[in-house]
Amino acid sequence: MLASAAFLSTSGLHAQSDCILVEVVDPSGRPIAWAKVRSGDVTAETSAEGQASLCGGTNTVEVTQEGFAPAERTVTPGQPLHVRMSIHPVENAGWW
């Protein structure tokens, strides 16, 4: 069974910037390193601390990581954000 993002929180950052700081965590709050983060044509990978910065893009943030269900979040255009996304493991990923 696939699960999507459980929750996320947003808070304002730099008012003059069009960047989004994305923090990707597992359900227990541990950071997910090297997750793929995308907003439109702008892509990034999370650091060892589970963080990535996206500057530009669209108002949809998508996160993918092997072994986890993908997550998607729509954010307010023009409003810089810190987005914390929780992704959930996919049960029996890669196993038959």
Side-chain angles (χ1 to χ4, degrees):
M1 176 177 178
L2 296 177
S4 61
F7 76 94
L8 63 102
S9 63
T10 59
S11 62
L13 284 179
H14 312 287
Q16 70 277 13
S17 172
D18 286 333
C19 295
I20 299 170
L21 175 63
V22 181
E23 181 181 8
V24 182
V25 297
D26 69 12
S28 68
R30 290 184 298 238
I32 302 293
W34 321 127
K36 310 297 185 265
V37 181
R38 182 169 69 104
S39 178
D41 293 336
V42 180
T43 60
E45 247 184 19
T46 58
S47 65
E49 293 79 28
Q51 297 181 349
S53 182
L54 298 172
C55 296
T58 66
N59 48 327
T60 299
V61 177
E62 301 170 2
V63 177
T64 58
Q65 174 64 310
E66 187 175 328
F68 289 83
E72 184 177 296
R73 173 65 182 198
T74 301
V75 296
T76 304
Q79 185 179 46
L81 298 173
H82 174 189
V83 179
R84 187 169 196 238
M85 299 180 74
S86 177
I87 57 177
H88 295 269
V90 176
E91 291 183 30
N92 303 319
W95 297 97
W96 294 97

Coordinates of all heavy atoms in Angstrom, one line a residue:
M1 N 0.8 -1.2 0.0 CA 0.0 0.0 0.0 C 0.9 1.2 0.0 O 1.8 1.3 0.8 CB -0.9 0.0 1.2 CG -1.7 1.2 1.4 SD -2.8 1.0 2.9 CE -3.6 2.5 2.8
L2 N 0.6 2.2 -0.9 CA 1.4 3.4 -0.9 C 0.7 4.5 0.0 O -0.5 4.6 0.0 CB 1.4 3.9 -2.4 CG 2.1 3.1 -3.4 CD1 2.0 3.7 -4.8 CD2 3.6 2.9 -3.0
A3 N 1.6 5.2 0.6 CA 1.1 6.4 1.4 C 1.8 7.6 0.9 O 2.8 7.6 0.3 CB 1.5 6.1 2.9
S4 N 1.1 8.8 1.1 CA 1.7 10.0 0.6 C 2.1 10.8 1.9 O 2.2 10.3 2.9 CB 0.6 10.8 -0.1 OG -0.5 11.1 0.7
A5 N 2.4 12.1 1.6 CA 2.9 12.9 2.7 C 2.0 13.0 3.9 O 0.8 13.2 3.7 CB 3.2 14.3 2.2
A6 N 2.5 12.8 5.1 CA 1.6 12.8 6.3 C 1.4 14.2 6.7 O 0.2 14.6 7.0 CB 2.3 12.0 7.4
F7 N 2.4 15.1 6.7 CA 2.2 16.5 7.1 C 3.3 17.3 6.6 O 4.3 16.8 6.1 CB 2.2 16.6 8.6 CG 3.5 16.5 9.2 CD1 4.3 17.6 9.5 CD2 4.1 15.2 9.5 CE1 5.5 17.5 10.0 CE2 5.4 15.1 10.0 CZ 6.1 16.3 10.3
L8 N 3.1 18.6 6.6 CA 4.2 19.5 6.4 C 3.8 20.8 7.1 O 2.7 21.1 7.3 CB 4.5 19.7 4.9 CG 3.4 20.3 4.1 CD1 3.7 21.8 3.8 CD2 3.3 19.6 2.8
S9 N 4.9 21.6 7.4 CA 4.6 22.9 8.0 C 5.3 23.9 7.2 O 6.4 23.6 6.6 CB 5.1 22.9 9.4 OG 6.5 22.7 9.5
T10 N 4.8 25.1 7.1 CA 5.5 26.2 6.4 C 5.6 27.4 7.3 O 4.8 27.6 8.2 CB 4.6 26.6 5.2 OG1 3.3 27.0 5.6 CG2 4.5 25.5 4.2
S11 N 6.7 28.1 7.1 CA 6.9 29.4 7.8 C 7.7 30.3 6.9 O 8.5 29.8 6.1 CB 7.7 29.1 9.1 OG 9.0 28.6 8.8
G12 N 7.4 31.6 7.0 CA 8.1 32.5 6.1 C 9.6 32.6 6.3 O 10.1 32.4 7.4
L13 N 10.4 32.8 5.2 CA 11.8 33.0 5.3 C 12.2 34.4 4.8 O 11.7 35.4 5.4 CB 12.5 31.9 4.5 CG 12.6 30.5 5.1 CD1 13.3 29.6 4.1 CD2 13.3 30.5 6.4
H14 N 12.9 34.5 3.8 CA 13.4 35.8 3.3 C 12.4 36.4 2.3 O 12.1 35.9 1.3 CB 14.7 35.5 2.5 CG 15.7 34.7 3.3 ND1 16.4 35.2 4.4 CD2 16.1 33.4 3.1 CE1 17.1 34.2 4.8 NE2 17.0 33.1 4.1
A15 N 11.8 37.5 2.7 CA 10.7 38.2 2.0 C 11.1 38.6 0.6 O 10.3 38.7 -0.3 CB 10.2 39.4 2.8
Q16 N 12.4 38.9 0.3 CA 12.8 39.3 -1.0 C 13.2 38.2 -1.9 O 13.5 38.4 -3.1 CB 14.0 40.3 -0.9 CG 15.3 39.6 -0.4 CD 15.4 39.4 1.1 OE1 14.5 39.6 1.8 NE2 16.6 39.1 1.5
S17 N 13.1 37.0 -1.5 CA 13.6 35.8 -2.3 C 12.4 35.0 -2.9 O 11.3 35.0 -2.3 CB 14.5 34.9 -1.4 OG 14.8 33.7 -2.1
D18 N 12.7 34.4 -4.0 CA 11.7 33.4 -4.6 C 12.1 32.0 -4.3 O 11.8 31.1 -5.1 CB 11.5 33.7 -6.1 CG 10.8 34.9 -6.4 OD1 10.0 35.4 -5.5 OD2 11.0 35.5 -7.4
C19 N 12.8 31.8 -3.2 CA 13.4 30.5 -2.9 C 12.5 29.7 -1.9 O 11.8 30.4 -1.1 CB 14.8 30.6 -2.4 SG 15.9 31.2 -3.6
I20 N 12.5 28.4 -2.0 CA 11.9 27.6 -1.0 C 12.9 26.7 -0.4 O 13.7 26.0 -1.1 CB 10.8 26.7 -1.7 CG1 9.7 27.6 -2.3 CG2 10.1 25.8 -0.7 CD1 8.8 26.8 -3.2
L21 N 13.0 26.6 0.9 CA 13.8 25.7 1.6 C 13.0 24.5 1.9 O 11.9 24.6 2.6 CB 14.4 26.3 2.9 CG 15.2 25.3 3.8 CD1 16.5 24.8 3.0 CD2 15.6 25.9 5.1
V22 N 13.3 23.3 1.4 CA 12.6 22.1 1.6 C 13.3 21.2 2.6 O 14.5 21.0 2.4 CB 12.3 21.4 0.3 CG1 11.5 20.1 0.5 CG2 11.7 22.3 -0.7
E23 N 12.7 20.7 3.6 CA 13.2 19.8 4.6 C 12.4 18.5 4.5 O 11.2 18.5 4.7 CB 13.1 20.4 6.0 CG 13.7 19.5 7.0 CD 13.6 20.1 8.4 OE1 12.9 21.1 8.6 OE2 14.2 19.5 9.3
V24 N 13.1 17.4 4.1 CA 12.4 16.1 3.9 C 12.8 15.2 5.1 O 14.0 15.0 5.4 CB 12.8 15.5 2.6 CG1 12.1 14.1 2.4 CG2 12.5 16.4 1.4
V25 N 11.7 14.6 5.7 CA 11.9 13.8 6.9 C 11.1 12.5 6.8 O 10.1 12.5 6.0 CB 11.6 14.5 8.2 CG1 12.5 15.7 8.5 CG2 10.1 14.9 8.3
D26 N 11.5 11.5 7.5 CA 10.6 10.3 7.6 C 9.6 10.5 8.7 O 9.6 11.5 9.4 CB 11.5 9.0 7.8 CG 12.1 9.0 9.2 OD1 11.8 9.7 10.1 OD2 13.0 8.1 9.4
P27 N 8.7 9.5 8.9 CA 7.6 9.7 9.9 C 8.0 10.0 11.3 O 7.3 10.6 12.1 CB 6.8 8.4 9.8 CG 7.0 7.9 8.4 CD 8.5 8.3 8.1
S28 N 9.2 9.6 11.6 CA 9.7 9.8 13.0 C 10.5 11.1 13.1 O 11.0 11.5 14.2 CB 10.6 8.7 13.5 OG 11.8 8.6 12.7
G29 N 10.6 11.9 12.0 CA 11.3 13.2 12.0 C 12.8 13.1 11.6 O 13.4 14.2 11.6
R30 N 13.3 12.0 11.3 CA 14.7 11.9 10.9 C 14.8 12.4 9.4 O 14.0 12.1 8.6 CB 15.2 10.4 11.0 CG 15.3 10.0 12.4 CD 15.9 8.6 12.4 NE 15.0 7.7 11.8 CZ 14.5 6.6 12.3 NH1 14.8 6.3 13.5 NH2 13.7 5.8 11.6
P31 N 15.9 13.1 9.1 CA 16.1 13.6 7.8 C 16.3 12.5 6.8 O 16.9 11.5 7.1 CB 17.4 14.5 7.9 CG 18.0 14.2 9.2 CD 17.0 13.5 10.1
I32 N 15.8 12.8 5.5 CA 16.0 11.9 4.4 C 17.1 12.5 3.5 O 16.8 13.5 2.8 CB 14.7 11.6 3.6 CG1 13.6 11.1 4.5 CG2 14.9 10.7 2.4 CD1 13.9 9.7 5.0
A33 N 18.3 11.9 3.5 CA 19.3 12.4 2.6 C 19.2 12.0 1.2 O 18.6 10.9 0.9 CB 20.7 11.9 3.2
W34 N 19.6 12.8 0.3 CA 19.7 12.5 -1.2 C 18.3 12.3 -1.8 O 18.2 11.7 -2.9 CB 20.6 11.4 -1.5 CG 21.8 11.4 -0.6 CD1 22.3 10.4 0.2 CD2 22.7 12.5 -0.3 NE1 23.4 10.8 0.9 CE2 23.7 12.1 0.6 CE3 22.8 13.8 -0.8 CZ2 24.7 12.9 1.0 CZ3 23.8 14.6 -0.3 CH2 24.8 14.2 0.6
A35 N 17.2 12.8 -1.2 CA 15.9 12.7 -1.9 C 15.9 13.7 -3.0 O 16.6 14.8 -3.0 CB 14.8 13.1 -0.9
K36 N 15.1 13.4 -4.1 CA 15.0 14.3 -5.2 C 13.8 15.2 -5.0 O 12.7 14.8 -4.6 CB 14.7 13.5 -6.5 CG 15.6 12.3 -6.8 CD 17.0 12.7 -7.0 CE 17.9 11.5 -7.4 NZ 18.6 10.9 -6.3
V37 N 14.1 16.5 -5.1 CA 13.1 17.6 -4.9 C 13.0 18.4 -6.2 O 14.0 18.7 -6.8 CB 13.6 18.5 -3.8 CG1 12.5 19.6 -3.5 CG2 13.9 17.7 -2.5
R38 N 11.7 18.7 -6.6 CA 11.5 19.3 -7.9 C 10.4 20.3 -7.7 O 9.4 20.1 -7.0 CB 11.1 18.3 -8.9 CG 10.9 18.9 -10.3 CD 10.9 17.8 -11.4 NE 9.6 17.1 -11.3 CZ 8.6 17.2 -12.1 NH1 8.6 18.1 -13.0 NH2 7.5 16.4 -11.9
S39 N 10.5 21.5 -8.4 CA 9.5 22.5 -8.6 C 9.6 23.0 -10.0 O 10.5 23.7 -10.4 CB 9.7 23.6 -7.6 OG 8.7 24.6 -7.8
G40 N 8.6 22.5 -10.8 CA 8.7 22.9 -12.3 C 10.0 22.3 -12.9 O 10.2 21.1 -12.7
D41 N 10.8 23.1 -13.5 CA 12.0 22.7 -14.1 C 13.2 22.7 -13.2 O 14.3 22.4 -13.6 CB 12.3 23.5 -15.4 CG 11.3 23.3 -16.5 OD1 10.7 22.2 -16.5 OD2 11.2 24.2 -17.3
V42 N 13.0 23.2 -12.0 CA 14.1 23.3 -11.0 C 14.1 22.1 -10.2 O 13.1 21.7 -9.6 CB 13.8 24.6 -10.1 CG1 14.9 24.7 -9.1 CG2 13.7 25.8 -10.9
T43 N 15.3 21.5 -10.1 CA 15.5 20.2 -9.3 C 16.7 20.4 -8.4 O 17.6 21.2 -8.6 CB 15.7 19.0 -10.2 OG1 16.9 19.3 -11.0 CG2 14.6 18.8 -11.2
A44 N 16.7 19.6 -7.3 CA 17.8 19.6 -6.3 C 17.7 18.2 -5.6 O 16.7 17.5 -5.7 CB 17.6 20.7 -5.3
E45 N 18.8 18.0 -4.9 CA 18.8 16.8 -4.0 C 19.0 17.3 -2.6 O 19.7 18.2 -2.4 CB 20.1 15.9 -4.4 CG 19.7 14.6 -5.0 CD 20.9 13.8 -5.3 OE1 22.0 14.0 -4.7 OE2 20.7 12.8 -6.0
T46 N 18.4 16.6 -1.7 CA 18.6 17.0 -0.3 C 20.0 16.6 0.2 O 20.6 15.7 -0.3 CB 17.6 16.3 0.7 OG1 17.7 14.9 0.5 CG2 16.2 16.7 0.4
S47 N 20.5 17.4 1.1 CA 21.8 17.2 1.7 C 21.7 16.0 2.7 O 20.6 15.5 3.0 CB 22.2 18.5 2.5 OG 21.3 18.7 3.6
A48 N 22.8 15.7 3.4 CA 22.8 14.7 4.4 C 21.9 15.1 5.6 O 21.4 14.2 6.3 CB 24.2 14.5 5.0
E49 N 21.6 16.4 5.7 CA 20.6 16.9 6.7 C 19.2 16.9 6.3 O 18.3 17.4 6.9 CB 21.0 18.3 7.2 CG 22.3 18.3 8.0 CD 23.6 18.3 7.0 OE1 23.4 18.7 5.9 OE2 24.6 17.8 7.5
G50 N 18.9 16.4 5.0 CA 17.6 16.3 4.5 C 17.0 17.7 3.9 O 15.9 17.8 3.8
Q51 N 17.9 18.6 3.6 CA 17.5 19.9 3.2 C 17.9 20.2 1.8 O 19.0 19.8 1.3 CB 18.0 21.0 4.1 CG 17.5 20.9 5.5 CD 18.0 22.0 6.4 OE1 18.9 22.8 6.0 NE2 17.4 22.1 7.6
A52 N 17.1 20.9 1.0 CA 17.4 21.4 -0.3 C 16.7 22.8 -0.5 O 15.7 23.1 0.0 CB 16.9 20.4 -1.4
S53 N 17.4 23.6 -1.4 CA 16.8 24.9 -1.7 C 16.5 24.9 -3.1 O 17.2 24.5 -4.0 CB 17.9 26.0 -1.4 OG 17.4 27.2 -1.6
L54 N 15.3 25.4 -3.4 CA 14.8 25.6 -4.8 C 14.5 27.0 -5.0 O 13.7 27.6 -4.3 CB 13.5 24.8 -5.0 CG 13.6 23.3 -4.8 CD1 12.1 22.7 -4.9 CD2 14.4 22.6 -5.9
C55 N 15.1 27.6 -6.0 CA 14.9 29.0 -6.4 C 14.3 29.1 -7.8 O 14.8 28.6 -8.7 CB 16.2 29.8 -6.4 SG 16.9 29.9 -4.7
G56 N 13.1 29.7 -7.9 CA 12.3 29.7 -9.1 C 11.4 28.5 -9.1 O 10.9 28.0 -8.1
G57 N 11.0 28.0 -10.3 CA 10.1 26.9 -10.4 C 8.7 27.3 -10.3 O 8.3 28.4 -10.6
T58 N 7.8 26.4 -10.0 CA 6.4 26.6 -9.9 C 5.9 26.6 -8.5 O 6.7 26.5 -7.6 CB 5.6 25.5 -10.7 OG1 5.8 24.3 -10.0 CG2 6.1 25.4 -12.1
N59 N 4.6 26.6 -8.3 CA 4.1 26.6 -6.9 C 3.8 25.1 -6.4 O 3.0 25.0 -5.5 CB 2.9 27.5 -6.7 CG 1.9 27.4 -7.8 OD1 2.2 27.1 -8.9 ND2 0.6 27.6 -7.4
T60 N 4.3 24.1 -7.1 CA 4.2 22.8 -6.7 C 5.5 22.2 -6.4 O 6.5 22.3 -7.2 CB 3.5 21.9 -7.8 OG1 2.2 22.4 -8.0 CG2 3.3 20.5 -7.3
V61 N 5.7 21.6 -5.2 CA 7.0 21.0 -4.8 C 6.7 19.5 -4.7 O 5.7 19.0 -4.1 CB 7.4 21.5 -3.4 CG1 8.7 20.8 -2.9 CG2 7.6 23.0 -3.4
E62 N 7.6 18.7 -5.4 CA 7.5 17.3 -5.4 C 8.7 16.7 -4.8 O 9.8 17.1 -5.1 CB 7.3 16.8 -6.8 CG 6.1 17.3 -7.5 CD 6.1 17.0 -9.0 OE1 7.0 16.4 -9.5 OE2 5.1 17.5 -9.7
V63 N 8.6 15.6 -4.0 CA 9.7 14.9 -3.4 C 9.6 13.4 -3.7 O 8.5 12.8 -3.6 CB 9.7 15.1 -1.9 CG1 10.8 14.3 -1.3 CG2 9.8 16.5 -1.5
T64 N 10.7 12.8 -4.2 CA 10.8 11.4 -4.4 C 12.1 10.8 -3.8 O 13.1 11.5 -3.7 CB 10.7 11.0 -5.9 OG1 11.8 11.7 -6.6 CG2 9.4 11.4 -6.6
Q65 N 12.0 9.6 -3.4 CA 13.2 8.9 -2.8 C 12.9 7.4 -2.9 O 11.8 7.0 -2.6 CB 13.5 9.3 -1.4 CG 14.6 8.5 -0.7 CD 15.9 8.7 -1.4 OE1 16.1 8.6 -2.5 NE2 16.9 9.0 -0.6
E66 N 13.8 6.6 -3.4 CA 13.7 5.2 -3.5 C 13.2 4.6 -2.2 O 13.8 4.9 -1.1 CB 14.9 4.5 -4.0 CG 14.8 3.1 -4.3 CD 16.1 2.5 -4.9 OE1 16.8 3.2 -5.6 OE2 16.3 1.3 -4.6
G67 N 12.2 3.7 -2.2 CA 11.8 3.1 -1.0 C 10.7 3.9 -0.2 O 10.2 3.4 0.8
F68 N 10.4 5.1 -0.7 CA 9.4 6.0 -0.1 C 8.3 6.3 -1.1 O 8.6 6.5 -2.3 CB 10.0 7.2 0.5 CG 10.9 7.0 1.7 CD1 12.2 6.6 1.5 CD2 10.4 7.2 2.9 CE1 13.0 6.4 2.6 CE2 11.2 7.0 4.0 CZ 12.6 6.6 3.9
A69 N 7.1 6.6 -0.6 CA 6.0 7.1 -1.4 C 6.3 8.5 -1.8 O 6.8 9.3 -1.0 CB 4.7 7.0 -0.7
P70 N 6.1 8.9 -3.1 CA 6.3 10.3 -3.4 C 5.3 11.2 -2.7 O 4.3 10.8 -2.2 CB 6.0 10.3 -4.9 CG 5.2 9.1 -5.2 CD 5.5 8.1 -4.1
A71 N 5.8 12.5 -2.5 CA 4.9 13.5 -1.9 C 4.9 14.8 -2.7 O 5.8 15.0 -3.5 CB 5.5 13.8 -0.5
E72 N 3.8 15.5 -2.7 CA 3.6 16.7 -3.4 C 2.9 17.7 -2.6 O 2.0 17.4 -1.8 CB 2.8 16.4 -4.7 CG 2.6 17.6 -5.6 CD 1.8 17.2 -6.8 OE1 2.3 16.3 -7.6 OE2 0.7 17.7 -7.0
R73 N 3.3 19.0 -2.7 CA 2.7 20.1 -2.0 C 2.6 21.3 -2.8 O 3.5 21.7 -3.5 CB 3.5 20.4 -0.7 CG 3.1 21.6 0.1 CD 1.8 21.4 0.7 NE 1.4 22.6 1.4 CZ 0.4 22.6 2.3 NH1 -0.2 21.5 2.6 NH2 0.1 23.7 2.9
T74 N 1.4 22.0 -2.8 CA 1.3 23.2 -3.5 C 1.5 24.3 -2.5 O 1.0 24.3 -1.4 CB -0.1 23.3 -4.1 OG1 -0.3 22.3 -5.0 CG2 -0.3 24.7 -4.8
V75 N 2.3 25.3 -2.9 CA 2.7 26.5 -2.0 C 2.2 27.7 -2.7 O 1.9 27.8 -3.9 CB 4.2 26.5 -1.7 CG1 4.6 25.3 -1.0 CG2 5.0 26.7 -3.0
T76 N 2.1 28.8 -1.9 CA 1.6 30.1 -2.4 C 2.6 30.7 -3.3 O 3.8 30.9 -2.8 CB 1.2 31.0 -1.2 OG1 0.3 30.3 -0.4 CG2 0.6 32.3 -1.7
P77 N 2.3 31.1 -4.5 CA 3.3 31.7 -5.4 C 3.8 33.0 -4.8 O 3.0 33.8 -4.2 CB 2.5 32.0 -6.7 CG 1.3 31.1 -6.6 CD 1.0 30.9 -5.2
G78 N 5.1 33.3 -5.0 CA 5.7 34.5 -4.6 C 5.9 34.6 -3.1 O 6.4 35.6 -2.6
Q79 N 5.6 33.6 -2.3 CA 5.8 33.6 -0.9 C 6.9 32.7 -0.5 O 6.7 31.5 -0.5 CB 4.5 33.3 -0.2 CG 4.6 33.4 1.3 CD 3.2 33.1 2.0 OE1 2.6 32.1 1.7 NE2 2.8 33.9 2.9
P80 N 8.1 33.2 -0.1 CA 9.2 32.3 0.2 C 8.8 31.4 1.4 O 8.2 31.9 2.4 CB 10.3 33.2 0.6 CG 9.9 34.5 -0.1 CD 8.4 34.5 -0.1
L81 N 9.1 30.1 1.4 CA 8.7 29.2 2.4 C 9.8 28.3 2.9 O 10.7 28.0 2.1 CB 7.5 28.4 1.9 CG 6.3 29.1 1.5 CD1 5.3 28.1 0.8 CD2 5.6 29.7 2.7
H82 N 9.6 27.8 4.1 CA 10.3 26.6 4.6 C 9.3 25.5 4.7 O 8.3 25.6 5.4 CB 10.9 27.0 6.0 CG 11.5 25.8 6.6 ND1 11.9 25.8 7.9 CD2 11.9 24.6 6.2 CE1 12.4 24.7 8.3 NE2 12.4 23.9 7.2
V83 N 9.5 24.5 3.8 CA 8.5 23.4 3.7 C 9.1 22.2 4.3 O 10.2 21.7 4.0 CB 8.1 23.2 2.3 CG1 7.1 22.0 2.2 CG2 7.6 24.4 1.6
R84 N 8.4 21.6 5.3 CA 8.8 20.3 5.9 C 7.9 19.2 5.5 O 6.7 19.3 5.8 CB 8.8 20.5 7.5 CG 9.4 19.2 8.1 CD 9.6 19.5 9.6 NE 10.5 18.5 10.2 CZ 10.2 17.8 11.2 NH1 9.0 17.9 11.8 NH2 11.0 16.9 11.7
M85 N 8.4 18.3 4.7 CA 7.6 17.2 4.2 C 8.0 15.9 4.8 O 9.2 15.6 4.8 CB 7.8 17.2 2.6 CG 7.3 18.5 2.0 SD 7.5 18.5 0.2 CE 6.1 17.5 -0.2
S86 N 7.0 15.1 5.2 CA 7.3 13.8 5.7 C 6.9 12.8 4.7 O 5.8 12.8 4.2 CB 6.4 13.6 7.0 OG 6.6 12.3 7.5
I87 N 7.8 11.9 4.3 CA 7.5 10.9 3.3 C 7.6 9.5 4.0 O 8.3 9.4 5.0 CB 8.5 10.9 2.1 CG1 9.9 10.8 2.5 CG2 8.2 12.2 1.3 CD1 10.9 10.7 1.3
H88 N 6.8 8.6 3.6 CA 6.6 7.3 4.2 C 7.2 6.2 3.4 O 7.1 6.2 2.2 CB 5.1 7.1 4.5 CG 4.5 8.1 5.4 ND1 4.4 7.9 6.8 CD2 4.0 9.3 5.2 CE1 3.9 8.9 7.3 NE2 3.6 9.8 6.4
P89 N 7.8 5.2 4.1 CA 8.3 4.1 3.4 C 7.2 3.3 2.7 O 6.1 3.3 3.2 CB 8.9 3.2 4.5 CG 9.1 4.1 5.7 CD 8.0 5.2 5.6
V90 N 7.6 2.7 1.6 CA 6.6 1.9 0.8 C 6.8 0.5 1.4 O 8.0 0.0 1.4 CB 6.9 2.0 -0.7 CG1 6.0 1.0 -1.4 CG2 6.7 3.4 -1.2
E91 N 5.8 -0.1 1.8 CA 5.9 -1.5 2.4 C 6.3 -2.4 1.3 O 5.9 -2.4 0.2 CB 4.6 -1.9 2.9 CG 4.2 -1.2 4.2 CD 2.9 -1.7 4.8 OE1 2.6 -2.9 4.6 OE2 2.2 -0.9 5.3
N92 N 7.3 -3.3 1.6 CA 7.9 -4.3 0.7 C 8.4 -3.7 -0.6 O 8.3 -4.3 -1.7 CB 6.8 -5.4 0.4 CG 6.3 -6.0 1.6 OD1 7.1 -6.3 2.5 ND2 5.0 -6.2 1.7
A93 N 9.0 -2.5 -0.5 CA 9.5 -1.9 -1.7 C 10.6 -2.8 -2.4 O 11.5 -3.2 -1.7 CB 10.1 -0.5 -1.4
G94 N 10.4 -3.2 -3.6 CA 11.3 -4.0 -4.3 C 11.3 -5.4 -4.0 O 12.1 -6.2 -4.5
W95 N 10.4 -5.9 -3.2 CA 10.4 -7.3 -2.8 C 9.1 -7.9 -3.3 O 8.0 -7.3 -3.3 CB 10.4 -7.4 -1.3 CG 11.7 -6.9 -0.7 CD1 11.9 -5.7 -0.1 CD2 12.9 -7.6 -0.6 NE1 13.2 -5.5 0.3 CE2 13.8 -6.7 0.0 CE3 13.4 -8.9 -1.0 CZ2 15.2 -7.1 0.2 CZ3 14.7 -9.2 -0.8 CH2 15.6 -8.3 -0.2
W96 N 9.1 -9.1 -3.7 CA 7.9 -9.9 -4.2 C 7.5 -10.9 -3.2 O 8.1 -11.5 -2.5 CB 8.2 -10.5 -5.5 CG 8.5 -9.5 -6.6 CD1 9.7 -9.0 -7.0 CD2 7.5 -8.8 -7.3 NE1 9.5 -8.1 -8.0 CE2 8.2 -7.9 -8.2 CE3 6.1 -8.8 -7.4 CZ2 7.5 -7.1 -9.1 CZ3 5.5 -7.9 -8.2 CH2 6.2 -7.1 -9.1

